[in-house]
Amino acid sequence: MGIYLNFLLLQYFVSNCVCNALTFVEEPTDKQAKSDGYCGRILRAQTQGTRRDGYNEFRLRVEGDPENYQPASTYRVTLHASSPSYFRGFTLIALKEGKEGTTDDHYAGKFQIIDEEDTQFMTNCPPAVTESTPRRRTRIQVFWTAPSSGSGCVILKASIVQKRIIYFQDEGSLTVRLCEKEAVFGETTEKPPLECCACGTAKYRVTFFGNWSEKIHPKDYPRRANHWSALIGASHSRSYVLWEYRGFASEGVKQVAELGSPVKMEEEIRQKGDEVLTVIKTKAQWPAWQPLNVRAAPSAEFSVDRTRHLMSFLSMLGPSPDWNVGLSAEDLCTKECGWIQRLDQDLIPWDAGTDSGVTYESPNKPTIPQERIRSLTSLDHPQSPFYDTEGGPITALARVVVERIARKGEQCNIVPDTVDDIVADIGQEEKEEDDTPETCIYSNWSPWSACSSASCDKGRRMRQRMLKAQLDLSVPCPHTQDFKPCMGPGCSEEEVSTCMMSEWISWSPCSESCGMGMRYRERYIKQFPEDGSICSLNTEETEKCVVNDDCYTILCMLSPWSDWSVCSVTCGKGVRARQRMLKSPDLGECTEELEQVERCMQPECPMDCMVSEWTEWSECNKSCGKGHTIRTRMVKLEPQFGGEPCSETVQRKKCKIRKCKRGSREKRRGKQQGRDAAVEEQPGCKMKPWSSWTDCSKYCGGGIQERLMAVKKRAKSAPAQVTSCKDRKEIRACNVQPC
């Protein structure tokens, strides 16, 4: 393995930075290359420089630092050097554990180039990645797609070249070992899902705890208008997909993701008919985070049954381009034919693939074509609020707790999932011998009904069961109803009338977010009395609760919020507001806010071209005869978003100073030489030659150039003529093409 890595290392370092460290011989013919293994034309080398481990100067890292890989999933792989270290070259390969890379099937997965200026596939060994050009660098990145299921463990291995030092590492910071894992939430699986075998229905409460705050996520945190949108979801069957990773967002999901509006999503859910059992909804949270003693976490209740046992929901964090959190197709049915008691899940943000913004308050930028839903990562974009140069995991923005609060109907789980289930199932077990044929499959008996007699006269009570299957049609299945004599309550000699109740379910959130409110809790009857009497024990309790007793909400009687006003501007960034009224001003001071303001974004405003004032007219470009003079102005602001274009930036007009003398000397010279001679021939003046033209003042849009002729010598004996003997300057237009 070490020899093979040497071959890979030394292929691209024939440059001056390593020429003193390496000597090598290349196999010359294709025939020899093909016989030399999968990579072909491998360079054989001997190392004269120093070999040593990279220790912690260099590190190979798979984004998120996973211990396992999901088959066929794509990961970002980073190789970086700690300051002040650097590297000039590298080699990166991925091999199945225990393989040496000599044949095709030794390699695991495929690499994908991100930046072609930094990385490329090795010419003579295509599975390996190396540098495009040997130069100083501290970081490179590539994508790696994991192999298909059944590939076992994989070794990702890097080698570094720095000056004359070559780093090999079979263990440590330049090697990552990943083993295949089973499918988890949010990822696809090749195994078919198991059908739910639970009986009856279960009732759950989902509670949403938002952890998105300036303290936990300080980078660019939006201090105003930060909020969670209304939570929207459903309990549903496997055939309905509300949203899923690597899928495309529906119009309803898009409206939640970009606008925080659940209206279209709820409409889509309700159109699914029998595939949906319960629509799950909570109110929006303004602001996004408040202590629980100030505002209770939003919650909602929903039910599941045997065919609709999955739960999905989503909620937008705002403001954001199209970022959300949620659960997708979370199964609440257990493989033991019961219902999950509690689910506690941290939530990481995901991108709906409909908007290409990279910051919380990026302007609308539709993603065309629409991309698939994916998880956000800490290496997506340097301007992202979740960006981390090390590629670490994103801190959870929210947590959701799904808690079972009741079960109804027959419970058929073979292995009860909690102690409560064991107690609940005891009442359904029959102690007497059952003489029903083995070919008849029944449900458990229901509890005995109340006695048909309310007095001490004899009556009867009934129980029933369902015939689930008849394995042998020739063998009859006996009765599905059973009766027993009874008398009214208090008349039985044995008097064993007792109710078996469940434990109390946890208290509901307080009805008020501030001040005094009410809360309730429930329990249910696990077993009725054997004498058929009615249980008189309470199944519900209510009590007062106080949230943040220092507030004065009890004194505030407020109207509902008005609709948001129109944006204060028709283009660009503005604000909008909404208000509510205090209905009880005489009851005391009210500290509740009566107005809320948030930013709104309209299409960008057109910006007209802005130009400077005109310069003074230049001197005439001729010293005699017809010439021209120019003036210019500068473009201070180019037009944007459909604004008025720039008008001319250079103007020219004719000028005539005096007629030129037609001397023999002027005839022999060109116009330019004639002008120079006219100046030089002034009595008492000796002029230097014209200087070169200066660089144009602008690259486009009309600029100017200048040149100068300076006086070389003035005659002292001719004072009257000295006044006309002076330095001269010429100006001309240049780069007049529009920008």
Side-chain angles (χ1 to χ4, degrees):
M1 183 65 184
I3 295 174
Y4 185 70
L5 279 174
N6 295 0
F7 296 160
L8 298 182
L9 266 169
L10 300 173
Q11 178 174 343
Y12 267 81
F13 298 100
V14 192
S15 61
N16 292 334
C17 65
V18 293
C19 62
N20 294 328
L22 309 174
T23 59
F24 51 90
V25 178
E26 183 178 348
E27 300 280 350
T29 65
D30 291 341
K31 182 177 180 180
Q32 289 171 318
K34 292 180 181 179
S35 66
D36 205 12
Y38 175 73
C39 285
R41 298 190 67 192
I42 296 176
L43 303 177
R44 301 190 178 279
Q46 296 178 344
T47 304
Q48 298 176 347
T50 304
R51 296 189 189 186
R52 68 182 187 188
D53 287 341
Y55 299 102
N56 293 322
E57 291 182 67
F58 307 103
R59 184 180 181 193
L60 178 66
R61 183 176 187 182
V62 179
E63 181 181 355
D65 296 327
E67 295 181 358
N68 307 94
Y69 69 85
Q70 174 69 28
S73 292
T74 299
Y75 300 86
R76 192 186 301 259
V77 178
T78 305
L79 180 62
H80 64 89
S82 301
S83 180
S85 299
Y86 64 90
F87 55 94
R88 294 185 179 275
F90 71 94
T91 302
L92 179 61
I93 59 172
L95 297 172
K96 295 178 182 178
E97 190 172 38
K99 304 299 183 180
E100 296 185 356
T102 56
T103 61
D104 189 354
D105 60 356
H106 285 190
Y107 292 86
K110 293 182 179 179
F111 287 108
Q112 178 183 342
I113 302 300
I114 297 177
D115 188 347
E116 293 183 354
E117 293 184 0
D118 272 343
T119 55
Q120 66 177 9
F121 291 105
M122 188 171 282
T123 304
N124 298 328
C125 185
V129 177
T130 188
E131 78 290 341
S132 297
T133 305
R135 61 179 177 83
R136 289 174 63 124
R137 52 171 57 83
T138 60
R139 180 188 185 91
I140 64 98
Q141 295 183 77
V142 294
F143 286 126
W144 175 70
T145 301
S148 59
S149 181
S151 299
C153 294
V154 174
I155 305 296
L156 278 79
K157 188 183 299 291
S159 299
I160 293 293
V161 172
Q162 183 196 47
K163 294 184 179 179
R164 300 184 181 183
I165 303 173
I166 305 169
Y167 296 82
F168 297 97
Q169 194 141 358
D170 292 332
E171 296 178 354
S173 61
L174 287 177
T175 298
V176 175
R177 179 178 183 268
L178 300 175
C179 293
E180 184 179 345
K181 68 176 179 180
E182 296 181 358
V184 296
F185 162 72
E187 299 174 334
T188 57
T189 175
E190 297 178 0
K191 297 180 180 179
L194 297 174
E195 293 297 326
C196 179
C197 57
C199 299
T201 63
K203 186 176 181 181
Y204 286 90
R205 178 183 295 123
V206 55
T207 306
F208 183 86
F209 300 93
N211 299 331
W212 179 46
S213 67
E214 188 172 10
K215 181 178 179 181
I216 301 177
H217 304 89
K219 183 180 178 183
D220 299 333
Y221 187 79
R223 296 189 176 184
R224 300 189 63 179
N226 59 80
H227 67 281
W228 289 104
S229 74
L231 184 147
I232 181 71
S235 57
H236 56 91
S237 65
R238 289 194 183 278
S239 59
Y240 174 46
V241 178
L242 193 144
W243 73 271
E244 64 178 345
Y245 290 105
R246 305 305 300 161
F248 288 100
S250 66
E251 182 60 30
V253 172
K254 177 182 177 181
Q255 290 194 15
V256 175
E258 294 188 13
L259 308 175
S261 171
V263 177
K264 182 65 176 179
M265 187 77 257
E266 183 175 354
E267 179 184 329
E268 290 179 354
I269 292 172
R270 295 192 183 279
Q271 288 176 351
K272 293 301 177 179
D274 292 340
E275 293 184 13
V276 172
L277 182 59
T278 309
V279 177
I280 303 171
K281 294 191 296 182
T282 69
K283 294 182 179 179
Q285 282 185 272
W286 292 80
W289 184 86
Q290 281 192 1
L292 293 180
N293 63 344
V294 174
R295 175 176 295 172
S299 64
E301 295 180 358
F302 65 95
S303 298
V304 292
D305 62 16
R306 190 169 189 167
T307 58
R308 294 159 293 188
H309 51 92
L310 304 181
M311 186 268 279
S312 301
F313 76 85
L314 67 157
S315 176
M316 178 200 78
L317 61 148
S320 72
D322 58 348
W323 300 342
N324 291 250
V325 298
L327 294 180
S328 174
E330 187 68 24
D331 197 344
L332 300 177
C333 181
T334 68
K335 61 182 180 180
E336 293 85 11
C337 302
W339 298 108
I340 289 175
Q341 178 67 34
R342 180 184 172 93
L343 173 69
D344 197 326
Q345 181 78 44
D346 286 331
L347 302 178
I348 302 299
W350 49 269
D351 188 305
T354 60
D355 192 293
S356 299
V358 296
T359 65
Y360 290 126
E361 299 180 274
S362 293
N364 291 335
K365 186 180 179 182
T367 302
I368 301 174
Q370 182 176 336
E371 295 179 352
R372 296 179 183 273
I373 295 173
R374 65 175 183 86
S375 294
L376 291 175
T377 74
S378 60
L379 291 172
D380 286 334
H381 195 281
Q383 294 181 6
S384 167
F386 309 114
Y387 185 73
D388 176 13
T389 56
E390 299 297 324
I394 296 176
T395 304
L397 269 68
R399 181 171 62 91
V400 65
V401 175
V402 181
E403 182 182 18
R404 196 183 74 202
I405 58 176
R407 294 192 308 173
K408 296 181 181 179
E410 178 191 6
Q411 302 305 314
C412 61
N413 46 307
I414 301 171
V415 180
D417 47 15
T418 68
V419 175
D420 281 347
D421 293 341
I422 297 174
V423 176
D425 294 339
I426 290 177
Q428 299 172 4
E429 294 179 359
E430 297 302 322
K431 305 300 181 183
E432 64 269 18
E433 294 183 2
D434 192 350
D435 57 355
T436 56
E438 293 182 357
T439 56
C440 298
I441 309 300
Y442 291 95
S443 67
N444 291 328
W445 286 105
S446 68
W448 287 105
S449 67
C451 190
S452 61
S453 173
S455 64
C456 291
D457 295 333
K458 287 186 177 181
R460 66 175 186 172
R461 49 191 176 129
M462 180 191 72
R463 63 177 182 175
Q464 56 187 352
R465 61 182 176 178
M466 293 189 301
L467 179 63
K468 291 184 174 181
Q470 187 174 358
L471 305 180
D472 188 349
L473 297 179
S474 63
V475 179
C477 294
H479 55 281
T480 57
Q481 291 184 329
D482 192 12
F483 298 92
K484 181 184 288 188
C486 63
M487 291 185 291
C491 300
S492 174
E493 295 179 358
E494 298 180 356
E495 199 68 56
V496 289
S497 178
T498 57
C499 287
M500 183 177 293
M501 307 294 292
S502 72
E503 296 295 325
W504 286 104
I505 305 300
S506 58
W507 287 103
S508 69
C510 194
S511 61
E512 298 295 330
S513 60
C514 189
M516 183 174 293
M518 299 296 293
R519 64 176 184 171
Y520 71 93
R521 63 177 182 174
E522 299 174 332
R523 61 179 177 177
Y524 56 93
I525 301 172
K526 289 188 172 181
Q527 183 177 342
F528 285 90
E530 291 185 5
D531 62 0
S533 61
I534 298 174
C535 288
S536 58
L537 299 175
N538 292 332
T539 57
E540 289 190 6
E541 278 187 355
T542 59
E543 70 174 21
K544 295 179 180 179
C545 54
V546 176
V547 179
N548 191 16
D549 54 8
D550 293 332
C551 70
Y552 300 94
T553 306
I554 194 170
L555 300 176
C556 299
M557 293 180 62
L558 301 168
S559 68
W561 285 106
S562 67
D563 293 333
W564 286 103
S565 67
V566 296
C567 197
S568 61
V569 295
T570 57
C571 61
K573 293 182 179 179
V575 294
R576 63 177 186 169
R578 63 177 183 173
Q579 298 83 27
R580 57 181 176 181
M581 297 178 59
L582 181 62
K583 292 184 176 180
S584 55
D586 299 331
L587 294 180
E589 182 182 358
C590 181
T591 58
E592 289 289 329
E593 61 179 345
L594 301 179
E595 183 178 17
Q596 288 182 342
V597 179
E598 70 174 14
R599 279 180 282 185
C600 51
M601 185 69 186
Q602 300 291 349
E604 294 288 354
C605 297
M607 299 180 67
D608 298 339
C609 177
M610 292 180 61
V611 294
S612 65
E613 295 294 328
W614 288 105
T615 63
E616 296 294 332
W617 287 101
S618 69
E619 293 183 9
C620 192
N621 71 328
K622 298 289 183 68
S623 60
C624 66
K626 295 180 180 180
H628 68 267
T629 178
I630 63 171
R631 65 175 182 176
T632 63
R633 58 182 175 182
M634 308 291 290
V635 175
K636 297 168 67 176
L637 178 65
E638 297 287 349
Q640 299 183 46
F641 311 113
E644 290 294 329
C646 297
S647 57
E648 60 181 347
T649 57
V650 179
Q651 286 184 346
R652 178 185 305 190
K653 69 178 181 179
K654 296 179 180 179
C655 58
K656 184 176 181 181
I657 298 178
R658 58 185 174 83
K659 291 184 177 181
C660 295
K661 295 180 181 180
R662 298 180 176 272
S664 59
R665 190 175 183 181
E666 288 183 335
K667 291 180 181 179
R668 293 194 303 269
R669 298 188 178 186
K671 293 182 179 180
Q672 183 62 42
Q673 290 175 332
R675 185 171 65 250
D676 296 349
V679 175
E680 291 175 356
E681 288 176 359
Q682 293 181 26
C685 290
K686 287 191 177 181
M687 307 296 290
K688 294 180 180 179
W690 283 104
S691 66
S692 300
W693 288 104
T694 62
D695 292 337
C696 193
S697 61
K698 293 181 63 177
Y699 292 108
C700 60
I704 59 174
Q705 288 177 295
E706 297 179 352
R707 69 173 183 173
L708 183 67
M709 176 185 283
V711 175
K712 186 175 182 181
K713 184 178 180 181
R714 292 184 175 90
K716 298 181 180 179
S717 60
Q721 297 170 346
V722 172
T723 56
S724 63
C725 187
K726 56 183 180 179
D727 294 345
R728 302 191 61 83
K729 181 172 71 173
E730 282 192 349
I731 301 176
R732 69 179 182 184
C734 57
N735 292 341
V736 295
Q737 74 276 9
C739 294

